[in-house]
Amino acid sequence: MAETSTAPADQRFPPQIPYIIGNEACERFSFYGMRNILVVFFIDYLLRTHVPETGAREAQAKSLMHLFMAGVYFFPLVGGYLADRFFGKFHTIFVLSLVYCAGHACLALFEDNATGFYTGLTLIAIGSGGIKPCVAAMVGDQFTEKNRHLVKKVFAIFYWTINFGSFFASLFVPLLMKNYGPAVAFGVPGVLMFLATVIFWAGRKHYVLVPPTGPNPHAFFKVLGSAFRGKDVAGGTWLDKAKAEHPAEAVEGVKAVFRVSALLLPFVPFFWMLFDQKASTWVVQARSMDPNVGGVVFQPSQMQFINPMLVMLLIPFLTAVVYPVFQRAGWELTPLRRMPMGLIMGAASFVIAGFFQVAMEGGTTLNIAWQLLPYIVLTVAEILVSTTGLEFAYTQAPREMKGTIQAVWLLTNTLANVVVAIAAALNVFTGSAQFFFYAAFAAVAGVGMALMARKYVVRDYYQTDAQAPMDGRNPAVAPKPA
């Protein structure tokens, strides 16, 4: 991880970085290990006696999994707020990691007790979601102006580590459930989460700890409140009424939040509706396929290993080859072009999977290897939407509103999983119809986002000094066309 000891200090990673990376690798293994077997566990174990009919049981299993995922993407809003305002990142991560471990313990101990198992899922949603925004931010906190050139490299390692943990968890945890049962399959990820916590704690004397800021008098909702109370400003918008109580920069930041939200919230959730169903709908589909691939028998949940494997391979390929080719051709793949393309590709992946389902409903037995094709298309869509959108959301608001914009981004995932959970619980669409249903909505969302993006004026915000106070200066570069 670190450079050789003879290298200058500003050319080496800080000594605390291996602790954070090690923590992330173990935590991601624990999370994806338990999440990727949830639907199969619900179908084959927990719900078997309570919901005898197979179709209804599959629908309820999907609904429960997506309700859990909605919680996972809701609690980062709470964890990030507590860390930034009151407790700091280290204490928030450590305490919520203990909650996380308790949740894993519940899954392993209460495999046949619904109340205990659901309690475990709730604790994991709180723990996993709560630490999600803190760990990545804490990585950045460890660098200074002298070694900031290493930040891009360490975040590349950090993102690679996430997929590394997901890859091995997807491969091995489904085999543990098949060969040793749910208690072991959920217990092993729990041990990895405990190890993650120990690794994180071991680095406590080395971390750079940024203190919490305390309440922000110019936060998003406080500016909104002032706008509602204020008096009209000639030639201004209703938000400009808040300038009587807040700096112009804070008001402009709130405007940026509304501007970005209007672009993301109506469309991006339709991508997450597709993407997170690889752990539910696609697993259910794989259960009806021939699992023997060249003499190797794959478990339905194992097929999810394809996604992190492809992410590790495709991101360098797209960044180094595909994007430059389009740029040289005179049609640069800007973020506002990538995201609509990703939505369309996500829809295409579900259309492909839908035709597979049609074939199986007609009596054809397909090999599970066929799922490789929609996984490839969906993974490209993920890179175009997820990695691009996260960066785009970050750059489109001033420093004081970047946390709020990240909350908006996470909200797109929460909304998506709530909708899928409700749709699955109602069990309105079954079989191939559900694939085409979600694909149609994602395709329409892609077209809609492309049209709205044509009118969106990109305004990138960068801070030359991360600690610069709000003093009325506008840190944005000049607007540029999309």
Side-chain angles (χ1 to χ4, degrees):
M1 177 67 65
E3 307 290 342
T4 61
S5 59
T6 58
D10 61 358
Q11 297 300 318
R12 300 196 304 265
F13 285 129
Q16 62 270 33
I17 292 300
Y19 293 100
I20 302 177
I21 297 296
N23 164 268
E24 184 70 8
C26 294
E27 187 273 328
R28 288 291 84 187
F29 183 102
S30 77
F31 177 79
Y32 287 110
M34 57 76 53
R35 189 207 69 167
N36 289 359
I37 60 173
L38 267 183
V39 167
V40 172
F41 169 75
F42 284 137
I43 295 171
D44 289 344
Y45 295 90
L46 194 62
L47 299 178
R48 178 170 286 277
T49 57
H50 301 289
V51 188
E53 199 276 313
T54 302
R57 191 164 67 249
E58 291 175 349
Q60 187 169 338
K62 289 166 54 179
S63 179
L64 289 169
M65 199 284 290
H66 286 285
L67 190 61
F68 165 70
M69 289 301 296
V72 168
Y73 283 97
F74 170 77
F75 282 106
L77 310 184
V78 179
Y81 178 78
L82 293 177
D84 289 343
R85 296 287 185 262
F86 301 106
F87 305 116
K89 299 181 187 70
F90 174 81
H91 292 98
T92 301
I93 293 171
F94 182 70
V95 171
L96 289 179
S97 292
L98 296 178
V99 174
Y100 201 160
C101 290
H104 275 292
C106 288
L107 300 194
L109 294 173
F110 298 110
E111 58 173 297
D112 55 356
N113 182 300
T115 301
F117 193 85
Y118 296 148
T119 299
L121 287 180
T122 302
L123 293 175
I124 290 177
I126 295 171
S128 173
I131 70 174
K132 188 182 291 291
C134 302
V135 177
M138 192 166 176
V139 173
D141 290 345
Q142 308 310 303
F143 293 85
T144 65
E145 284 289 323
K146 291 183 179 180
N147 60 359
R148 65 178 183 177
H149 59 282
L150 295 173
V151 171
K152 186 174 182 179
K153 184 177 180 181
V154 79
F155 272 109
I157 296 172
F158 188 80
Y159 192 74
W160 189 88
T161 300
I162 292 173
N163 289 281
F164 180 82
S166 174
F167 173 78
F168 284 101
S170 300
L171 270 182
F172 295 121
V173 174
L175 292 177
L176 290 177
M177 189 160 76
K178 176 180 181 293
N179 295 322
Y180 301 101
V184 173
F186 287 117
V188 169
V191 171
L192 266 293
M193 185 58 222
F194 179 75
L195 180 60
T197 307
V198 171
I199 293 172
F200 183 73
W201 173 254
R204 65 192 182 281
K205 295 182 180 180
H206 302 284
Y207 300 132
V208 174
L209 302 180
V210 176
T213 62
N216 180 5
H218 307 301
F220 179 78
F221 288 108
K222 291 185 178 180
V223 173
L224 281 185
S226 298
F228 282 117
R229 295 191 305 269
K231 297 180 180 180
D232 291 335
V233 178
T237 68
W238 69 276
L239 282 171
D240 288 318
K241 294 187 291 183
K243 290 181 179 178
E245 300 178 34
H246 302 278
E249 187 178 53
V251 177
E252 292 303 313
V254 173
K255 291 180 181 179
V257 170
F258 278 105
R259 193 164 56 243
V260 176
S261 298
L263 181 67
L264 298 181
L265 286 178
F267 307 114
V268 174
F270 290 98
F271 170 75
W272 296 121
M273 288 180 197
L274 305 179
F275 183 76
D276 283 338
Q277 287 193 73
K278 66 181 173 58
S280 58
T281 304
W282 286 19
V283 171
V284 171
Q285 183 185 68
R287 287 165 59 87
S288 301
M289 292 178 154
D290 175 11
N292 193 314
V293 182
V296 178
V297 177
F298 283 88
Q299 299 302 304
S301 299
Q302 274 186 296
M303 297 306 291
Q304 294 173 78
F305 85 90
I306 298 171
N307 175 250
M309 178 187 71
L310 289 174
V311 167
M312 289 187 285
L313 295 173
L314 288 176
I315 284 183
F317 176 72
L318 289 173
T319 303
V321 179
V322 176
Y323 296 161
V325 167
F326 276 91
Q327 189 170 14
R328 287 194 295 269
W331 198 72
E332 183 180 356
L333 286 177
T334 63
L336 291 179
R337 288 171 176 164
R338 291 182 208 168
M339 288 188 285
M341 288 176 62
L343 276 161
I344 298 296
M345 292 197 71
S349 73
F350 260 62
V351 169
I352 295 169
F355 279 120
F356 291 168
Q357 194 68 30
V358 170
M360 290 190 293
E361 289 171 356
T364 302
T365 300
L366 294 180
N367 191 277
I368 202 169
W370 280 104
Q371 282 201 326
L372 179 63
L373 179 57
Y375 264 108
I376 292 173
V377 179
L378 185 65
T379 302
V380 174
E382 174 195 2
I383 296 169
L384 292 173
V385 175
S386 181
T387 58
T388 299
L390 192 61
E391 175 189 350
F392 177 80
Y394 182 83
T395 62
Q396 293 304 294
R399 178 176 63 89
E400 291 76 14
M401 292 297 166
K402 289 188 186 297
T404 304
I405 285 291
Q406 296 305 300
V408 170
W409 178 254
L410 294 170
L411 184 61
T412 64
N413 205 310
T414 301
L415 293 174
N417 277 283
V418 168
V419 170
V420 175
I422 294 172
L426 295 176
N427 203 17
V428 176
F429 293 96
T430 59
S432 57
Q434 63 187 318
F435 291 90
F436 299 122
F437 170 75
Y438 287 108
F441 273 103
V444 171
V447 173
M449 190 176 197
L451 293 174
M452 181 169 286
R454 296 175 64 181
K455 300 178 181 179
Y456 184 93
V457 177
V458 175
R459 185 182 292 271
D460 293 330
Y461 291 82
Y462 296 103
Q463 290 284 356
T464 56
D465 179 2
Q467 302 301 318
M470 288 192 296
D471 58 3
R473 292 175 297 174
N474 186 356
V477 300
K480 56 185 179 182

